[in-house]
Amino acid sequence: MKRRKKEKKSIDISVRYSIASLSVLTICIAVFTLLQFVFMDDIFLLAAKIDMRDVAERIQEVDFSDEDYKILLSDYEANHNVYVEIYSPGDNLIYTSRENESVYTGVNDSENGKVLKPRIMKFLSHSDNADGSYFEIRQEYFATAQYLVYGSFFGEDKSLVMFYPIDVIKDNARTASIALFTLSVFAFALITGLMLCIGKLFSMPLKRVTATTKKIANMNFDETCPSFKFKDLDELSASINILSDSLSKSLDALKSKNKQLEDDIAAERKQAKERRSFIANLSHELKTPISIILGYAEGMKLGIGCDSTDEFCDIIIEEANKMNDLILRLMEYMNYNSATYKSNISRFNVYDLLWEICDSRSFQFKEKGIKLFFDINPDFEGSADTILVETIFNNYLSNALSHADYEKEIYVSSEERPDCYRIRVFNTGDPIPGTDIENIWNSFYRADKSHSRAEGRFGLGLSIVASMQEIMNRDYGVINKEKGVEFWFDITKAYNAQEGKP
């Protein structure tokens, strides 16, 4: 029973579509009819005002010295359903239509020397316009007839008053409302029939598409959807056929994605292991100086080695400084290893920047008896974050100063590449063992732990280098050579904006 119910719903979709469309159409027609009955009088009243303004502009262009001007004014009145009155100073009526003369007392002054006076009416409303004209609603005292009145001044001494019967406006509005309502009913009946026909026209192709998709759902890709004359249905049919063809490939791709997911999970586990190792290494690095500080502090408290108080204090201060250096280096590592750091790219001379760093370490070279060979092209212009470049080069130089041996020589050189400069820092000495060379970029990893400990090094320098080069999207690396070890990193070239050359 449930299955039949579902099938019935799928069959009646076109009917429900027609009902929904007709419901929306019915509501629209009902709202439209209501609005036209409510606002049609106002619309025609506005149209009458516009028409009266237009007639007034034409009347103001009439030459009243011409004997035929009354014929022209009568034509305007007849064509626009208005009555026109024109006054001279003192409210003397100089023109009104013949049909309207009966409502006035007196006769035209050109006949018996008498002057016509305007009829007296009730003022129901009044509104002034920006150009000095006005609109009013007036009603005759002894009748129910109402008029839309437009008044304005023109020429040097004339005024115009124009009457538009309100009954005419309402009759026109009522006629238009009935005509629109009749047209709406006819359109509703016509559209209803069209909707039902269109619903049937769409239901048959949809049934065929539904039958095909059911087979696809059962993994039967032998049958394809036919083409249709309607563009949308034909595109739907083509899309289903494409889906059917690519579904088997998608299943293979899903297997590949599952494999990738397994790899991602393995990588996440590796990262979790590295985090645990990071915390363990950090704990170990902090444990040693803390143990030393505690030991010497307890010795001083117990009076052990009283003659060596200054020596104990010096040791405590030294270990505290090492802890402070470790924390600073750790904060630096965390800063560059996070996604919040924003690099400040600028143009600089590579030679000047690197030589300044080497020159600032001249005392260390002399103290350790190390010879420096500096071979950087003075024309190289780089584009990078100079703070990061200085930190990277300083870390490489510190590493070379710590491990330079035998001839005790350090070579700083450069090589131009298509889009970058490669900076090399080579020191004579023992090569990095193969077991260590793969791990030296990891945090807290030190190939020579005792030597590093004596110099206050914590195994964070090269990991900071790796993070900085990843920020600048540039390569870095290390190479064991015949007489020593060479570390290198790349700097982006600075290009001339006009010539497109470095």
Side-chain angles (χ1 to χ4, degrees):
M1 290 296 292
K2 290 183 179 179
R3 188 174 179 181
R4 287 182 181 175
K5 212 170 188 180
K6 289 182 180 178
E7 289 178 355
K8 185 177 179 182
K9 286 184 179 179
S10 64
I11 293 172
D12 293 339
I13 185 170
S14 60
V15 176
R16 289 201 301 274
Y17 169 77
S18 299
I19 293 173
S21 301
L22 291 173
S23 299
V24 173
L25 180 63
T26 303
I27 293 172
C28 292
I29 291 176
V31 172
F32 174 72
T33 302
L34 179 63
L35 291 176
Q36 74 178 13
F37 276 111
V38 173
F39 296 104
M40 190 63 75
D41 287 352
D42 295 332
I43 293 172
F44 271 79
L45 185 64
L46 178 61
K49 289 182 178 180
I50 295 172
D51 189 41
M52 292 172 79
R53 280 179 177 272
D54 183 58
V55 174
E57 290 177 359
R58 296 182 186 180
I59 291 174
Q60 290 173 9
E61 297 174 357
V62 172
D63 183 7
F64 286 89
S65 62
D66 187 353
E67 295 180 356
D68 295 331
Y69 81 90
K70 291 185 178 182
I71 298 174
L72 185 60
L73 294 180
S74 296
D75 290 340
Y76 288 155
E77 290 175 321
N79 293 333
H80 296 275
N81 293 320
V82 295
Y83 303 115
V84 175
E85 295 178 356
I86 299 176
Y87 296 90
S88 63
D91 288 336
N92 294 322
L93 183 67
I94 62 175
Y95 172 80
T96 186
S97 62
R98 292 184 177 180
E99 293 80 359
N100 207 32
E101 286 183 358
S102 59
V103 299
Y104 291 89
T105 59
V107 294
N108 192 289
D109 66 347
S110 62
E111 295 179 358
N112 297 318
K114 294 182 179 180
V115 178
L116 293 175
K117 296 297 182 181
R119 52 185 167 180
I120 301 174
M121 303 180 74
K122 297 178 184 178
F123 289 82
L124 302 182
S125 67
H126 177 87
S127 62
D128 292 317
N129 301 319
D131 60 357
S133 62
Y134 61 87
F135 280 105
E136 294 176 343
I137 301 294
R138 299 182 188 179
Q139 181 178 338
E140 295 181 359
Y141 266 102
F142 304 105
T144 58
Q146 293 182 355
Y147 297 88
L148 172 64
V149 180
Y150 174 77
S152 65
F153 298 92
F154 70 98
E156 296 181 356
D157 56 358
K158 294 182 179 64
S159 62
L160 168 68
V161 180
M162 191 182 309
F163 296 83
Y164 200 129
I166 297 292
D167 290 340
V168 174
I169 296 174
K170 290 184 177 181
D171 289 342
N172 292 338
R174 192 175 301 106
T175 302
S177 298
I178 294 172
L180 287 174
F181 177 74
T182 305
L183 183 62
S184 299
V185 172
F186 175 76
F188 177 78
L190 179 61
I191 293 173
T192 300
L194 289 175
M195 283 292 183
L196 293 175
C197 292
I198 292 172
K200 281 189 176 182
L201 195 62
F202 275 99
S203 63
M204 294 305 296
L206 287 174
K207 288 179 181 179
R208 297 181 65 182
V209 171
T210 301
T212 304
T213 53
K214 284 182 179 179
K215 292 182 179 180
I216 293 174
N218 293 325
M219 300 302 172
N220 181 2
F221 308 111
D222 296 332
E223 186 175 340
T224 58
C225 292
S227 59
F228 299 102
K229 295 180 180 179
F230 299 104
K231 181 180 177 181
D232 293 339
L233 285 176
D234 192 56
E235 289 178 355
L236 175 62
S237 177
S239 299
I240 292 174
N241 291 334
I242 293 172
L243 175 65
S244 176
D245 292 337
S246 62
L247 189 55
S248 59
K249 297 178 182 178
S250 299
L251 293 175
D252 294 337
L254 182 60
K255 293 179 181 178
S256 177
K257 292 291 184 181
N258 288 336
K259 180 65 171 59
Q260 181 64 41
L261 181 59
E262 292 176 359
D263 294 341
D264 292 342
I265 292 173
E268 179 64 27
R269 288 175 179 171
K270 182 181 178 182
Q271 290 179 0
K273 184 178 179 181
E274 290 176 354
R275 284 194 293 269
R276 289 194 297 269
S277 176
F278 179 87
I279 295 172
N281 290 330
L282 176 61
S283 302
H284 176 75
E285 292 293 340
L286 290 172
K287 182 178 180 182
T288 301
I290 289 173
S291 298
I292 294 173
I293 291 171
L294 286 174
Y296 280 96
E298 289 176 358
M300 291 175 63
K301 184 176 180 179
L302 296 174
I304 299 173
C306 295
D307 298 336
S308 304
T309 302
D310 290 342
E311 181 183 353
F312 283 11
C313 289
D314 290 340
I315 293 172
I316 291 173
I317 292 172
E318 180 182 355
E319 294 298 325
N321 285 330
K322 288 181 181 179
M323 288 179 60
N324 184 57
D325 291 341
L326 171 60
I327 292 171
L328 292 176
R329 296 291 283 175
L330 182 62
M331 291 175 64
E332 183 181 13
Y333 170 76
M334 297 300 293
N335 179 39
Y336 295 128
N337 203 41
S338 67
T340 58
Y341 180 81
K342 295 183 178 179
S343 56
N344 183 18
I345 305 299
S346 61
R347 186 185 182 112
F348 63 95
N349 184 274
V350 179
Y351 178 95
D352 293 341
L353 181 66
L354 301 186
W355 173 249
E356 184 179 352
I357 296 172
C358 291
D359 188 52
S360 67
R361 288 175 171 262
S362 58
F363 175 77
Q364 291 178 286
F365 286 107
K366 291 179 182 179
E367 184 182 29
K368 295 190 175 185
I370 297 173
K371 295 179 182 179
L372 173 67
F373 297 88
F374 192 82
D375 183 20
I376 300 292
N377 191 322
D379 296 329
F380 285 175
E381 294 288 326
S383 176
D385 190 323
T386 54
I387 294 176
L388 300 186
V389 173
E390 288 178 6
T391 305
I392 292 169
F393 187 68
N394 263 314
N395 282 330
Y396 277 178
L397 212 55
S398 297
N399 191 70
L401 284 166
S402 297
H403 294 90
D405 205 352
Y406 305 125
E407 292 86 353
K408 290 194 174 183
E409 295 174 346
I410 295 177
Y411 293 84
V412 177
S413 60
S414 61
E415 174 193 352
E416 184 174 4
R417 297 203 161 205
D419 64 339
C420 66
Y421 303 116
R422 179 157 291 182
I423 308 302
R424 295 188 174 95
V425 180
F426 172 84
N427 66 271
T428 58
D430 294 327
I432 301 174
T435 55
D436 293 326
I437 200 168
E438 297 177 358
N439 298 311
I440 59 174
W441 306 104
N442 297 333
S443 57
F444 290 111
Y445 190 86
R446 295 174 298 189
D448 186 352
K449 295 179 173 56
S450 60
H451 188 53
S452 299
R453 170 67 186 167
E455 294 188 1
R457 297 169 62 245
F458 308 103
L460 288 172
L462 294 180
S463 62
I464 291 174
V465 168
S467 298
M468 289 179 173
Q469 283 296 89
E470 288 172 4
I471 289 173
M472 294 189 288
N473 198 25
R474 281 297 170 188
D475 291 335
Y476 59 94
V478 60
I479 303 172
N480 278 328
K481 293 202 167 182
E482 184 178 353
K483 293 184 179 180
V485 180
E486 179 184 273
F487 284 85
W488 59 269
F489 70 101
D490 291 340
I491 297 175
T492 302
K493 287 182 178 180
Y495 286 89
N496 187 306
Q498 295 179 347
E499 301 178 3
K501 298 179 180 179

